[in-house]
Amino acid sequence: MVVTYSITGLILFISFIINKQKTYKAIKLALVKFKKIVPTFITMLIFVSIILFLFPDEVISNYLSNSSKIISLLLASLIGSITLMPGFVAFPLSGILLSKGVPYMVLSSFTTTLMMVGIITFPIEREYFGVKVTIIRNMVSFFIALTVALVTGIFFGEVF
Amino acid sequence: MIKKNNITRIIFICIYFLFLAISFFTGYQPGKEIAFNLFSFLAYMLKILPCAFILIGLFEVWVKRELIEKHLGEESGIKGYIWITLFAGTIAGGLLVAFPIAYSLYNKGAKLSIVFTYIGAAAICRIPMTLFEISFMGVKFSMIRLLVSLPLVIVTSILLEKYLIKKNYKMVKGK
């Protein structure tokens, strides 16, 4: 985070030295673009807060560690698609689940759908790319995640 | 139509915050937890989004259209995919940040398959995140994920582009 801010600050500073006008224009543009997405963003935040309440860590680990492999794989990919959590929460959680004996392939489908499929970010994605493309991209991503999970299962000897 | 949507949204948001306020005063636990989720996620996003949008603004102002067209446009070839994957790997923030960046890239002349590859790669190939992942899940796990998903992302992006060109797809303007 510190790195991101330092780099942004540095670039902004250089830009300002080279051309003041252009830099102001860039900041104005950033504000305009940000404003346009804020309403959708707030709606999304509200959904995130409710979804995270419905799927706390304990519920996720219960679902992923109690049933058969196939069922936990599907549940994992569904939970991963619905919820949204930053990597610094998701990977420690996966690490704990791994030590509890949850198969690699289940965790792979969970983390990959978490990263690639965004049901909760749907309103934002739609704003930029339209409904159709958003649906296609998410469905394709879902199948990519399942493929990744399957290959992971094969390599870790969990399938055969 | 748009107006009606806005009104529904405002009512929805008001009810939500009213619920949070009542929960706060009556000590209703689920309401408190939801409020906590809201603010922790809001804080997380507010840390990332200002940087992302400032960089997008600078990108729009400084980067020349010809440059993007040459390296990421119709003529770009395989190198374009390598460039965009490397670029995606260094940007923090995941999908939410990727959408507006992808949109700007498209408007500067990047072709659709590159734009979709960027979104996919921003989701799965971020370098800091992958290092973090390795520390919890091991190198083998992360490598399988990257080596399987990245080619699939590129191939499906190319197919999606072909399909969308046939359908005469254009992105929404002015976002």
Side-chain angles (χ1 to χ4, degrees):
Chain A
M1 201 55 69
V2 180
V3 181
T4 315
Y5 267 85
S6 322
I7 293 172
T8 310
L10 186 70
I11 296 175
L12 198 63
F13 182 66
I14 294 169
S15 165
F16 187 79
I17 289 174
I18 299 173
N19 190 328
K20 261 190 210 171
Q21 249 68 42
K22 270 194 167 182
T23 310
Y24 286 136
K25 207 177 143 201
I27 292 172
K28 235 167 107 184
L29 207 62
L31 279 174
V32 169
K33 278 177 175 281
F34 188 60
K35 258 194 213 153
K36 276 187 187 155
I37 206 68
V38 159
T40 318
F41 183 69
I42 292 173
T43 320
M44 192 209 72
L45 272 179
I46 291 176
F47 282 120
V48 171
S49 70
I50 296 169
I51 294 267
L52 287 184
F53 168 72
L54 297 174
F55 294 95
D57 293 1
E58 308 89 66
V59 174
I60 294 177
S61 29
N62 262 337
Y63 275 128
L64 300 197
S65 46
N66 275 345
S67 26
S68 83
K69 255 182 218 168
I70 297 294
I71 294 176
S72 6
L73 183 80
L74 290 175
L75 278 175
S77 56
L78 286 179
I79 296 174
S81 304
I82 296 168
T83 53
L84 183 68
M85 53 172 92
F88 67 79
V89 179
F91 290 120
L93 175 65
S94 304
I96 293 168
L97 291 174
L98 187 65
S99 65
K100 281 188 185 172
V102 176
Y104 277 100
M105 57 191 278
V106 172
L107 295 172
S108 165
S109 76
F110 174 61
T111 53
T112 315
T113 47
L114 205 54
M115 290 183 274
M116 290 187 77
V117 185
I119 290 179
I120 228 167
T121 50
F122 185 89
I124 296 211
E125 192 170 355
R126 184 190 58 192
E127 287 281 311
Y128 291 108
F129 304 111
V131 175
K132 196 168 141 197
V133 170
T134 304
I135 292 174
I136 296 176
R137 194 201 65 80
N138 278 290
M139 279 171 53
V140 168
S141 301
F142 186 79
F143 285 108
I144 292 178
L146 286 186
T147 313
V148 171
L150 196 69
V151 176
T152 306
I154 292 170
F155 273 93
F156 280 95
E158 293 165 348
V159 177
F160 302 113
Chain B
M1 191 64 196
I2 293 165
K3 232 183 177 176
K4 203 178 154 199
N5 264 338
N6 274 344
I7 292 171
T8 333
R9 181 179 272 169
I10 290 167
I11 292 172
F12 170 71
I13 292 174
C14 288
I15 291 174
Y16 174 82
F17 279 105
L18 196 67
F19 167 71
L20 291 193
I22 292 171
S23 307
F24 182 76
F25 286 115
T26 58
Y28 182 58
Q29 203 52 40
K32 280 176 153 181
E33 277 174 37
I34 289 175
F36 175 77
N37 288 340
L38 177 79
F39 288 112
S40 56
F41 208 79
L42 181 69
Y44 169 66
M45 287 322 295
L46 283 182
K47 274 186 217 158
I48 297 177
L49 286 180
C51 277
F53 276 88
I54 285 177
L55 289 175
I56 289 171
L58 289 169
F59 169 81
E60 297 252 338
V61 171
W62 283 108
V63 178
K64 291 219 166 55
R65 197 183 165 82
E66 298 80 61
L67 185 80
I68 297 294
E69 273 175 354
K70 188 178 157 208
H71 293 285
L72 304 172
E74 297 307 328
E75 327 281 278
S76 59
I78 200 147
K79 260 195 195 156
Y81 297 101
I82 297 171
W83 277 125
I84 202 66
T85 306
L86 290 176
F87 175 65
T90 55
I91 302 281
L95 280 180
L96 275 177
V97 173
F99 296 138
I101 295 178
Y103 185 79
S104 291
L105 281 171
Y106 175 76
N107 282 331
K108 281 274 180 186
K111 62 179 174 179
L112 280 169
S113 57
I114 290 277
V115 170
F116 293 125
T117 302
Y118 171 71
I119 296 176
I124 53 178
C125 301
R126 278 169 286 144
I127 294 162
M129 187 196 71
T130 305
L131 294 176
F132 191 66
E133 179 189 11
I134 290 172
S135 69
F136 283 96
M137 306 300 292
V139 179
K140 191 176 162 191
F141 181 86
S142 301
M143 283 307 125
I144 294 171
R145 186 174 66 70
L146 280 177
L147 293 178
V148 175
S149 58
L150 192 59
L152 283 174
V153 162
I154 295 175
V155 170
T156 53
S157 298
I158 294 169
L159 291 176
L160 184 57
E161 178 190 65
K162 283 212 169 112
Y163 169 76
L164 290 174
I165 286 174
K166 234 195 263 166
K167 295 270 167 182
N168 249 327
Y169 170 80
K170 288 278 176 303
M171 267 186 215
V172 204
K173 285 235 163 77
K175 286 287 168 191

